DNA sequence: GGTGCGTGGACGTGTAATGTCCCGCATGCA
DNA sequence: TGCATGCGGGACATTACACGTCCACGCACC
């Protein structure tokens, strides 16, 4: 059985967005007692014109009183705010979280699905769906999309569908082979995505982790070189995020290297790199795939990861600061919010 | 305390309209099992193109399955319809009623406010407000608006406000003096409305009910004649509806005439005329105000009346068939719906 | 009486919604 | 087996609307 809100989300996905917008306007006016349009627009981060459309509407509904001196809330508006209070958190809790995380890390967009991917396969599926929606929106024609491996990315690949085939688009793996199971290989995922969207794909058949010698000689190979250049020119990168130690072990990284990384505080792994708590890269190395400098120049970088246990790792990668969009779940988002809280407290403590 | 639905009706009435539209599409598809776009558009009374936009959306949401053979509902869509069922009536019950009544009497628009004006002054105020909204929307520049008397019309006049003054507009009484209390006189109401909207007004200082001789001689008077011509040229008429016997008594109509009218089945009164159950006019008479033929040619005729006790009278006037818009309340609307039911049953019984 | 902030009106522009027409295709009937 | 019908979906011109921008005017406060 679904609640009214869940039904509405399906039937009118932007209902909550509009509702929240109007609610916030009303609340802001209430708090400001009497306020002008420009001031209000600034404090709500809206353009003056769209705010005006909304206030005109709220006035017509009798929730707002507007006269030459400015705007104030009506009795009916006050009552509405009070009555809406109990619904606010369940309705907009996630939107609020999204906005908070988006703002703190300077991202373009944050999407949070409810639940915890660690414990619920259903949430993981939803996470995949949300990832698809974001990716589909980002894709244009003749794009190159670099994808990483991992179970979450595999989930995205399985959810991907499209009405109009993206014929001119290329899916490529972001990195070479990483010694994981076949299903979670970047190569596998890139090919699945391409097949499901009617796009093309290319594979990179080299191990990711290379010594300098092997790297140089492989890059002499014309066909390797060619695909590597395609990869590095990707306009969109979509990647998962993992726990550093778990990933290192799964990838059979040298025990000594693992120890070194642990000593340096490695916490998160993403597109083959390891990050510490502050988002600094631990252990940079040669790779045939995407390099850090490529990521920094990529137009759209989408991170997708969920589950309570991944919260810290996600925050670390976000600190790295080159992502544009984050798709995650409620459990991870709450962890991230807690980390933000702590950081802000520390920041205010040191500033004193 | 308001429910979430009530809050939404205030905060996003526009979106709820969209929601209803999508719900009805989904339901129609469900009932039709498998149906084409053109057929569906016809049965929902929508243009093909807007239906297409909606079905594309519903398909993207996974609620509708579309293939070369036609459209059918998906499992998720079926579930959504079931889950929405309990909310439907509270959300759209009034819209449903509006549409039903609108369609049955061939009106352009029906507006229903919740409650019963007979028992709740609050509902009566809301009725007034709704009437204002309709009237404001209908008014253009340099219009002549004829208004009748009555307590409901007085309520409309008291609620009327406007941001932009309607300078070139004229409010006039639809009929002459009718021996009611001053507050409910058409003259009074016309002047109140004019004052509240910054418009002009003219008065008609003659008794409404006239013998042939008096009528002829009064119409010789140039200033009477002039205002009468203005009245009869009104582009908008807004009128109340009353119970025939109550109004006749209040207006001190001759006892013999009252008896005659009662014998003829007089049920409702509006703009000075008396109607029987089927909307036929009982007792036509000379008047210095609006005549029936004027009403028939008026561009916009707005009826406004509410309260359970008025239901029958409203239905009678609607049968008369020259109104464009009806503004009423829930209690009256339910009475009207019951009458429609009965009529339709009788109609189907005779057709057999 | 000046100054600043307020609303509301006007207007140009770009984009999304809509009306219209058409195509290729599957299906069912002759 | 062939033909007609009705299907979804693509294309495109037109329209309507939302939005950014600018300005006039009025009110309150200094």
């Amino acid at each position: 059985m679904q609640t009214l809100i869940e039904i509405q989300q399906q039937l009118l996905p932007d209902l909550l967005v509009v509702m929240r917008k109007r609610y916030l306007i009303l609340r802001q006016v209430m708090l400001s007692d009497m306020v002008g349009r420009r001031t209000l627009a600034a404090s709500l981060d809206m353009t003056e014109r769209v705010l005006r459309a909304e206030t005109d509407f709220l006035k017509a509904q009798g929730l707002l009183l507007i006269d030459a001196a400015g705007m104030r809330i009506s009795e009916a508006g006050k009552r509405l705010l009070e009555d809406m209070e109990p619904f606010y958190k369940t309705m907009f809790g996630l939107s609020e979280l999204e906005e908070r995380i988006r703002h703190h890390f300077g991202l373009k967009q944050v999407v949070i699905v409810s639940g915890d991917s660690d414990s619920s396969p259903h949430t993981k599926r939803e996470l995949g769906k949300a990832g698809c929606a974001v990716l589909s929106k980002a894709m244009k024609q003749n794009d190159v999309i670099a994808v990483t491996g991992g179970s979450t990315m595999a989930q995205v690949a399985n959810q991907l569908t499209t009405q109009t085939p993206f014929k001119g688009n290329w899916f490529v793996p972001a990195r070479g082979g990483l010694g994981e199971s076949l299903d979670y290989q970047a190569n596998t995922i890139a090919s699945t995505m391409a097949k499901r969207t009617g796009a093309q794909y290319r594979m990179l058949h080299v191990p990711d982790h290379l010594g300098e010698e092997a790297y140089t000689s492989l890059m002499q190979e014309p066909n390797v070189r060619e695909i590597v250049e395609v990869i590095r020119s990707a306009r969109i990168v979509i990647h998962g995020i993992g726990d550093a130690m778990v990933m290192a072990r799964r990838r059979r990284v040298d025990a000594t290297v693992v120890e070194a990384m642990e000593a340096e505080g490695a916490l998160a792994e993403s597109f083959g790199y390891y990050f510490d708590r502050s988002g600094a890269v631990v252990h940079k190395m040669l790779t045939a795939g995407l390099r850090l400098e490529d990521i920094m120049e990529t137009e759209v970088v989408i991170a997708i990861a969920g589950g309570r246990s991944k919260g810290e790792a996600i925050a670390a990668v976000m600190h790295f600061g080159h992502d544009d969009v984050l798709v995650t779940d409620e459990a991870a988002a709450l962890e991230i919010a807690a980390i933000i809280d702590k950081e802000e407290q520390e920041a205010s403590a040191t500033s004193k």
Side-chain angles (χ1 to χ4, degrees), chain A:
Chain A
M1 185 59 189
Q2 309 169 83
T3 66
L4 179 60
I5 295 174
E6 283 163 346
I7 294 171
Q8 290 180 331
Q9 295 247 6
Q10 288 187 67
L11 227 42
L12 300 157
D14 47 2
L15 176 128
L16 285 191
V17 177
V18 178
M19 194 162 171
R20 178 158 179 266
K21 182 167 66 180
R22 292 184 182 161
Y23 174 84
L24 289 179
I25 292 172
L26 222 48
R27 195 182 62 175
Q28 191 64 35
V29 172
M30 164 98 128
L31 296 175
S32 314
D33 211 40
M34 179 71 107
V35 67
R37 200 201 301 145
R38 277 170 271 270
T39 322
L40 192 59
S43 70
L44 286 166
D45 194 28
M46 302 170 74
T47 68
E48 197 184 319
R49 193 63 183 74
V50 307
L51 175 70
R52 185 168 160 188
E54 295 301 335
T55 52
D56 282 354
F57 169 85
L58 291 172
K59 180 189 173 189
Q61 289 293 315
L63 301 170
L64 218 54
L65 302 170
I66 306 187
D67 57 37
M71 300 180 277
R72 62 185 194 284
I73 198 164
S74 75
E75 274 311 309
K78 221 178 266 180
R79 203 162 349 106
L80 185 120
L81 278 183
E82 278 168 27
D83 292 348
M84 203 169 146
E85 173 86 48
F87 300 110
Y88 185 81
K89 214 182 148 197
T90 44
M91 292 188 84
F92 305 120
L94 291 187
S95 316
E96 202 90 313
L97 256 182
E98 284 174 0
E99 176 56 22
R100 182 116 191 276
I101 295 173
R102 192 194 67 73
H103 185 259
H104 185 260
F105 294 111
L107 298 166
K108 289 213 187 72
Q109 194 193 354
V110 173
V111 176
I112 302 177
V113 302
S114 66
D116 184 348
S117 303
D118 284 346
S119 54
S120 149
H122 177 256
T123 300
K124 191 136 195 175
R125 266 201 305 283
E126 289 300 317
L127 193 63
K129 265 196 203 168
C132 290
V134 168
L135 180 58
S136 303
K137 224 176 106 192
M139 276 202 282
K140 294 187 198 159
Q141 286 193 332
N142 304 319
D143 269 339
V144 175
I145 300 122
V147 303
T148 70
S151 66
T152 308
M153 287 303 300
Q155 194 64 250
V156 176
N158 284 330
Q159 300 286 345
L160 209 55
T161 51
T162 183
Q163 45 274 50
T164 44
F166 285 93
K167 251 190 164 174
N169 296 45
W170 289 87
F171 282 90
V172 294
R175 305 287 300 237
L178 284 158
E180 292 182 274
S181 87
L182 181 72
D183 286 349
Y184 298 163
Q185 286 288 334
N187 270 330
T188 314
I189 290 169
S191 100
T192 308
M193 285 184 168
K195 280 175 197 157
R196 294 186 68 97
T197 55
Q200 319 280 114
Y201 65 96
R202 296 290 295 271
M203 297 207 151
L204 179 63
H205 293 294
V206 300
D208 188 67
H209 206 170
L210 289 170
E212 198 159 338
E213 252 175 76
Y215 176 76
T216 321
S217 64
L218 258 173
M219 289 302 276
Q220 306 288 343
E221 291 284 328
N223 52 348
V224 171
R225 199 192 178 89
E226 189 202 347
I227 162 78
V228 167
E229 265 164 27
V230 173
I231 291 174
R232 292 181 179 171
S233 74
R235 197 181 71 86
I236 301 178
V237 173
I238 178 163
H239 65 89
I241 293 173
D243 179 88
M245 289 308 118
V246 173
M247 293 308 287
R249 227 165 293 133
R250 196 183 296 167
R251 286 174 180 173
R252 308 205 189 94
V253 176
D254 253 27
T256 53
V257 179
V258 172
E259 264 173 48
M261 289 199 305
E262 197 161 13
E264 289 188 78
L267 199 74
E269 181 278 344
S270 197
F271 34 81
Y273 292 92
Y274 294 84
F275 302 86
D276 70 7
R277 181 180 308 278
S278 69
V281 176
V282 179
H283 240 68
K284 205 170 178 177
M285 51 207 158
L286 276 176
T287 171
L290 272 185
R291 295 158 304 182
L292 285 174
E293 58 258 49
D294 300 319
I295 302 260
M296 293 175 187
E297 281 172 10
T298 307
E299 236 179 287
V300 185
V301 181
I302 303 169
I304 170 162
R308 191 160 185 280
S309 61
K310 290 262 186 87
E312 226 181 340
I314 296 170
V317 176
M318 289 304 112
H319 273 128
F320 173 57
H322 291 280
D323 277 275
D324 297 295
V325 184
L326 168 65
V327 182
T328 186
D329 64 16
E330 196 178 354
L334 288 171
E335 285 292 306
I336 297 169
I339 292 170
I340 294 177
D341 278 343
K342 212 159 56 181
E343 282 170 9
E344 282 175 355
Q345 271 174 32
E346 279 164 18
S348 71
T350 43
S351 74
K352 270 177 198 165

